[in-house]
Amino acid sequence: MNIYADNAATTKLDIEAFEAMKKYFLDDFFNPSQLYTLGRSTKKAIDQSREIIADCIGAKPENIFFTSGGTESDNWAIKRFCSGNNNIIITSPIEHHAILNACDSVKDISKIKYLSVDKYGFVSEKSLVSSLETIDEIYCNDKKKLVSIMMANNEIGTIQNIHRLSKIAHKYGAIFHTDAVQAIGHIPINVNEMGIDLLSASAHKFNGPKGIGFLYSKNKDLQVYHNGGLQEFGMRAGTENVPAIVGMAIALKNNILQMKKNMDYLNTLTDLFYKELNNSKLDYIINGHLINRLPGNINISFKGKTGEGIMHLLDLKGISISTGSACDSTNQQISHVIKEIRVPSEYAEGTIRISFSKYNTEEEVIKVAKTLINVISL
Ligand code: PLP
């Protein structure tokens, strides 16, 4: 029997979402831009999905723009923010590559600043304040500023204090974007209470279909993503992926309805896992913060091991987990997140990420822990 414990990579599709999507593939496949009755019915499905999604994050439907997923939403926020050039972007060095590489691609036309993080992966509020103050001094408050900090880290699960960070950003007149791809559907989010101006989301991380996501944009801070028809309020042209949009809305709503139950259950699973590991004599470090972290996320570094080796040994036993390092055959690279939180070098290479979901059972969790202990003790 295979055990899937890599839910931070992607999740199983919600069955209700799947059932609802079928109708829009096979029966109601009409182009939502057409004005006849059939076209209007698919347009209605999009509108209703937009309302459901907006409601899930305390937003207005007209502020939700459908995209192809987290990568596109992040690229849109970074590259098409305000005039698109001559801006200042402040971000953290532990963001997903969708943010880091998007920032890198605009470094010749915008100034990019990276904030420091502590050993848990929390972004330093002090460094945000001093960055914003320095920028205002140098540029006399003359530039558009974007602060982009992820809500929850995809490797170590650390959840940032978004409310405090956005408050600092706003004090200095900056726009606040958060990559909430790992967080949405898993922890409570209200864009107004948290002071979020722009938010990226991806359906396949919350039991929705792949290839669909959205960008929330509170104000008119965005430029058009690409040109063509008038879809997405003229901001992102192209015929809409109606089945995926419908599936995303149902999956998000269902996850939010069951959120408290899922969070409690996942915390029970991770406690069970740590209990097993504590009973072993293995030499390891738990990365990230123990409390402010995504439910079900476990990130551990084992002394003198390689994450890739552990991943393959577990794979041979039918268990799928992820490594904390990006490797190729000649080069063992420590992930940028593990480097930035300064995991000691003798542990860093032996980093793995396990991410359980509501579909994992207690028996599976115990099996993963026991098998891990066995393969590490080899
Ligand atoms: N941002 C974060 C934090 C992620 O974890 C991911 C995917 O792993 C992405 C962005 C990219 O999302 P997508 O796979 O939908 O493009």
Side-chain angles (χ1 to χ4, degrees):
M1 186 193 66
N2 288 320
I3 301 177
Y4 180 68
D6 194 20
N7 291 276
T10 197
T11 56
K12 180 177 164 171
L13 186 61
D14 179 294
I15 187 69
E16 207 186 304
F18 175 65
E19 292 300 337
M21 287 169 72
K22 280 202 286 196
K23 178 172 153 209
Y24 293 95
F25 280 117
L26 300 175
D27 303 323
D28 292 356
F29 55 84
F30 315 107
N31 190 322
S33 295
Q34 296 302 341
L35 295 179
Y36 42 76
T37 311
L38 295 178
R40 286 206 310 274
S41 76
T42 43
K43 172 81 170 61
K44 195 168 165 202
I46 295 180
D47 292 345
Q48 284 171 344
S49 300
R50 204 186 301 278
E51 278 168 28
I52 293 171
I53 288 169
D55 197 44
C56 285
I57 58 167
K60 291 195 187 117
E62 61 267 31
N63 298 123
I64 304 291
F65 300 89
F66 296 126
T67 65
S68 66
T71 301
E72 183 183 318
S73 301
D74 284 346
N75 273 268
W76 194 352
I78 297 294
K79 295 181 185 169
R80 301 278 195 277
F81 156 68
C82 292
S83 61
N85 62 28
N86 217 7
N87 299 319
I88 311 263
I89 302 172
I90 302 175
T91 189
S92 88
I94 61 165
E95 300 293 309
H96 188 271
H97 283 110
I99 291 289
L100 294 177
N101 292 344
C103 286
D104 200 48
S105 79
V106 293
K107 67 176 188 302
D108 294 338
I109 50 168
S110 291
K111 180 145 188 58
I112 318 290
K113 291 205 88 173
Y114 297 92
L115 303 171
S116 55
V117 295
D118 68 12
K119 65 175 181 174
Y120 300 112
F122 289 121
V123 168
S124 158
E125 292 175 18
K126 234 168 97 183
S127 90
L128 178 57
V129 171
S130 76
S131 283
L132 287 162
E133 273 176 358
T134 315
I135 287 162
D136 280 355
E137 270 168 32
I138 298 175
Y139 299 103
C140 306
N141 213 354
D142 197 24
K143 299 260 187 204
K144 291 280 183 193
K145 291 164 285 198
L146 176 73
V147 175
S148 178
I149 308 289
M150 70 200 315
M151 191 171 290
N153 187 269
N154 49 301
E155 291 189 33
I156 56 174
T158 299
I159 300 171
Q160 304 291 339
N161 192 329
I162 292 298
H163 178 68
R164 287 171 64 109
L165 293 166
S166 68
K167 211 167 156 186
I168 297 170
H170 290 156
K171 189 174 160 201
Y172 291 88
I175 303 291
F176 190 82
H177 167 253
T178 188
D179 173 342
V181 166
Q182 291 287 336
I184 186 163
H186 302 284
I187 58 170
I189 297 179
N190 181 300
V191 285
N192 292 318
E193 285 167 14
M194 295 167 106
I196 297 165
D197 302 306
L198 292 161
L199 175 145
S200 301
S202 177
H204 74 102
K205 308 286 186 179
F206 53 78
N207 309 102
K210 293 171 186 46
I212 188 79
F214 67 89
L215 180 64
Y216 159 80
S217 172
K218 184 177 180 181
N219 298 314
K220 302 268 174 269
D221 303 313
L222 284 180
Q223 285 188 307
V224 170
Y225 188 69
H226 48 220
N227 305 99
L230 287 177
Q231 293 91 349
E232 297 309 295
F233 313 107
M235 296 293 282
R236 182 191 185 264
T239 303
E240 299 90 336
N241 186 346
V242 184
I245 290 170
V246 169
M248 169 162 69
I250 293 178
L252 184 58
K253 191 172 121 204
N254 283 351
N255 264 18
I256 284 178
L257 286 174
Q258 299 162 8
M259 188 178 283
K260 172 82 178 75
K261 190 172 126 220
N262 291 344
M263 288 172 84
D264 289 347
Y265 178 62
L266 286 170
N267 287 334
T268 316
L269 292 188
T270 43
D271 285 351
L272 202 61
F273 178 87
Y274 286 132
K275 210 168 125 200
E276 287 291 327
L277 214 62
N278 275 341
N279 291 334
S280 76
K281 296 206 165 53
L282 301 181
D283 191 348
Y284 63 91
I285 299 174
I286 298 173
N287 302 313
H289 196 264
L290 275 183
I291 297 160
N292 289 324
R293 80 184 295 142
L294 286 172
N297 170 290
I298 292 165
N299 189 296
I300 330 172
S301 299
F302 292 96
K303 189 175 180 185
K305 302 285 170 186
T306 70
E308 195 189 1
I310 300 169
M311 186 267 282
H312 285 305
L313 287 170
L314 287 179
D315 192 28
L316 288 173
K317 310 262 179 200
I319 296 171
S320 304
I321 60 133
S322 174
T323 69
S325 51
C327 320
D328 62 48
S329 51
T330 50
N331 199 8
Q332 270 287 335
Q333 281 179 354
I334 314 292
S335 97
H336 64 291
V337 177
I338 295 303
K339 269 188 201 154
E340 289 294 338
I341 62 167
R342 299 172 287 282
V343 173
S345 57
E346 65 276 27
Y347 290 86
E349 272 190 18
T351 303
I352 57 165
R353 177 189 70 187
I354 298 171
S355 41
F356 291 119
S357 80
K358 60 185 176 185
Y359 297 121
N360 288 115
T361 62
E362 294 192 355
E363 292 70 34
E364 285 181 337
V365 169
I366 292 171
K367 174 111 191 272
V368 173
K370 285 194 188 305
T371 314
L372 179 65
I373 294 166
N374 280 339
V375 302
I376 302 242
S377 312
L378 283 176

